[in-house]
Amino acid sequence: MKRQHVNSTSVRSIGYDEATKTLEVKFIDGDVYQYFKVPEKIYLDLLTASSIGAYLNKEIKGKFEYRKME
């Protein structure tokens, strides 16, 4: 999945697949996670959030099924 670089102290890049509603997040430490069944609005709001890390923690983590990529 193609990700775009974001300006964040915790997240390096974010990608989204509209067909599968999969959000992919690469963190500064290099870990990559995929979150499933994420509405496009959540993805768009994440991209424009004043704090990407805070938005991720509040609106995505713990609310969507996910997996850590190897």
Side-chain angles (χ1 to χ4, degrees), residues 19-50:
T20 62
K21 298 191 182 311
T22 301
L23 173 70
E24 189 170 279
V25 179
K26 183 172 186 177
F27 291 89
I28 294 295
D29 66 6
D31 288 345
V32 178
Y33 285 81
Q34 286 187 335
Y35 297 88
F36 305 105
K37 298 180 182 172
V38 177
E40 186 175 16
K41 181 175 182 349
I42 296 285
Y43 162 67
L44 295 173
D45 288 348
L46 176 64
L47 284 180
T48 59
S50 59

Side-chain angles (χ1 to χ4, degrees), residues 1-67:
M1 177 181 308
K2 185 175 181 178
R3 294 185 304 268
Q4 66 182 63
H5 179 78
V6 292
N7 186 17
S8 170
T9 58
S10 58
V11 176
R12 180 169 294 147
S13 58
I14 299 170
Y16 186 72
D17 184 315
E18 292 178 32
T20 62
K21 298 191 182 311
T22 301
L23 173 70
E24 189 170 279
V25 179
K26 183 172 186 177
F27 291 89
I28 294 295
D29 66 6
D31 288 345
V32 178
Y33 285 81
Q34 286 187 335
Y35 297 88
F36 305 105
K37 298 180 182 172
V38 177
E40 186 175 16
K41 181 175 182 349
I42 296 285
Y43 162 67
L44 295 173
D45 288 348
L46 176 64
L47 284 180
T48 59
S50 59
S51 170
I52 289 174
Y55 186 90
L56 188 69
N57 287 331
K58 183 180 178 191
E59 302 296 337
I60 297 170
K61 287 185 177 180
K63 298 187 178 188
F64 296 96
E65 199 175 317
Y66 71 92
R67 73 173 168 162

